[in-house]
Amino acid sequence: MPVTSQLLRGLPRTKVLASGLLPCQQHQSHLLPVTPRPASRRPSHVWQSPQHSRSYQTASVLRSYILTPPQVNSILKANEYSFKVPEFDGKNVSSVMGFESNQLPANAPIEDRRSAATCLQTRGMLLGVFDGHAGCACAQALSERLFYYIAVSLLPHDTLCELEAAVESGRALSPILQWHKHPNDYFSREAQTLYFNSLRTYWQELIDLTSPGEVPDTREALLSAFKRLDNDISLEAQVGDANAFLHYWVLRVAFSGATACVAHVDGSDLFIANAGDARAVLGVQEEDGSFSAHTLSNDHNAQNEDEVARIRGEHPPSERKTVIRQDRLLGLLMPFRAFGDVKFKWSIELQKRVLESGPDQLHENEQTKFIPPNYHTPPYLTAEPEITYHKLRPQDRFLVIGSDGLWETLHRQEVVRIVGEYLTGVHQRQPLKVGGYRVTLGQMQGLLEERKARMSSAFEDQNVSTHLMRHAVGNNEFGTVDHERLSKMLSLPEELARMYRDDITIIVAQFNPHVIGAQRQEGQS
């Protein structure tokens, strides 16, 4: 078996999406007119040429279509996945009991990706959400590669040397990661040799930079892995490839972009590495049984004053008014940190040289045809993550990682309440909230009957991320799921869906409070 295949052993076989299409294709759906997203919630991950605009078919010429509850469930459950951490000798020794995830596309194809894996050389578990823009290529590459870079960064010097010696002699390699993948989660087999060679170069450099007996620092490992992978994405695009398909692919990866939010859980140590505006939120169970939200990441966008100050401080005073315009980087990009997006990182000369030597297909991509306005002192964008550390406590019950499509529709406290009630099977008996709306007695009776039905029946979703997604898409002004609204939102055609909502990707990891409590006691003794 080739060494590349040995190292990457454990990957699922290459799959296509459930629709039978390739990962950068998708099927169309139907339309029912619904209210568009407010202007403040316009698509957040789109960077477009100012010379180009997208035309949308008006709702008036499209036929309405009501989805039945089974059809709604089929759409919502198509990409759900769950994993339970195996028990050992009847005792769960992991702080993570398991996780559940799901995805719901708005773009065609979906530009979000997700990954989950166990580090086989350590005890850690990795969970990540990647939100792509200007195509799915960069997010796809991150979903396949970033965890390998993190896992290698966490290996001690001696293990790295053993890895290199095995490759040199052609001996079998011990797998680094155990992947937890949905069958629809695609792997680009054609690029695996390229990816392996870049990864090997990285661990060779780590061997030179580390010493025998040295224990890697998790914070530094995450930081190094993010920055190195982004550098490799850039370098691979500049070098190109003799294989025309791979040459086109590495350019697509580099010229598209993606944000990343990754959690590394090892015992009671929880690290979040975030670059962009996906978000990680901890669900904490209070003494009265209610749940509160503890945010573990900061959004890197114009609403973050520290980010605005950071970017302005990295460029001359003459660019103060142009580096951020209309809450976007150079007036185009909403996330202020991202992988890829070399249009915001390379010099103009380098961009022109790479494009001129690239395949003809790349010139058909409108994103490559323009230079961002007021482009004077690149790079304007970084993939360097912001690292957050949290020592898990028994009351920390779960972690929600979601792309911004989730957080645009639900407040973090509402997300934690929905998940907490689902996991405990108890709906908090809170006063019925009707906001500032005038409610008739008939409407109030209907709302109360709906609440009663929810409390007396089993949850229809077996996956908590699906349950949360149902609320994110179907919540009405009263905070309850409205089937008609859910049906309308799920039946939008691809040319309109992106106007009303974003791709949504959710991972919910559930913690074991007994294990965490025991680990904390061991650490204190």
Side-chain angles (χ1 to χ4, degrees), residues 150 154 215-223 264 266 269 271 387:
I150 294 173
L154 289 168
V215 179
D217 177 78
T218 304
R219 182 184 297 271
E220 291 300 319
L222 290 166
L223 190 66
H264 179 267
D266 188 354
D269 295 324
F271 285 88
I387 311 293

Side-chain angles (χ1 to χ4, degrees), residues 95-96 98-101 125-128 261-265 269-273 279-284 294-297 390 392 395-402 406-407 415-416 419 423 464-465 468 506-512:
S95 58
V96 180
F99 70 89
E100 296 176 335
S101 69
M125 176 174 282
L126 289 164
L127 305 165
C261 186
V262 172
H264 179 267
V265 191
D269 295 324
L270 170 60
F271 285 88
I272 302 293
R279 192 179 298 171
V281 174
L282 195 65
V284 182
H294 177 51
T295 305
L296 294 174
S297 63
H390 178 79
L392 287 172
Q395 62 265 39
D396 299 329
R397 303 308 297 269
F398 57 87
L399 174 71
V400 181
I401 309 174
L406 170 65
W407 311 107
V415 166
V416 165
V419 173
L423 294 177
V464 63
S465 59
L468 181 55
I506 301 168
I507 299 177
V508 180
Q510 191 172 358
F511 299 123
N512 190 324

